[in-house]
Amino acid sequence: QVRLVESGGGLVQAGGSLRLSCTASRSTGSITAMGWYRQAPGNKRDLVAAIRNGGTTDYADSVKGRFTISRDNAKNTVYLQMNSLKPEDTAVYCCYAEITTYPFDYWGQGTQVTVSS
């Protein structure tokens, strides 16, 4: 049983910043990677950024240079620092964790990020 709880979403002006946090409140297995995905209305859920235990990161091309993912392994918490936000970044952002035991992946409930122009 793993529970992922996100926080930090909100309303921000274009060009502003937000910092999202996601904590795995319980982990019965080992987390191998955590990441952030987002889904805007009518769109599919897309990868924003991911980070593995060793520190390797991946970013969507649309956020490179603006977003930074980091993780505190001891706290099982992943962060997404979002700078230079654009209206097209508006979406529900969901935390994702890969676990070594069944069911192998977990999703958070999501937090709304709205960027006004």
Side-chain angles (χ1 to χ4, degrees):
Q1 179 75 28
V2 176
R3 296 180 181 179
L4 302 177
V5 180
E6 304 107 327
S7 63
L11 175 65
V12 66
Q13 292 273 349
S17 298
L18 286 173
R19 182 178 173 87
L20 305 183
S21 299
C22 173
T23 298
S25 58
R26 285 211 303 150
S27 180
T28 57
S30 297
I31 297 176
T32 58
M34 298 183 74
W36 291 93
Y37 298 77
R38 67 186 182 187
Q39 185 171 22
N43 295 335
K44 67 180 182 68
R45 184 159 53 193
D46 295 321
L47 171 70
V48 178
I51 184 168
R52 299 185 181 277
N53 287 353
T56 301
T57 58
D58 291 301
Y59 294 93
D61 288 340
S62 60
V63 306
K64 287 181 179 178
R66 300 189 298 119
F67 291 9
T68 302
I69 189 169
S70 60
R71 181 183 170 188
D72 185 335
N73 290 338
K75 297 171 61 178
N76 282 334
T77 298
V78 65
Y79 307 92
L80 185 67
Q81 179 67 45
M82 305 184 294
N83 298 325
S84 301
L85 283 162
K86 305 174 181 179
E88 51 263 43
D89 295 320
T90 296
V92 174
Y93 285 69
C94 294
C95 181
Y96 176 85
E98 297 178 5
I99 315 295
T100 57
T101 58
Y102 181 86
F104 306 113
D105 62 335
Y106 291 86
W107 293 89
Q109 185 175 353
T111 184
Q112 177 71 44
V113 171
T114 302
V115 184
S116 64
S117 59

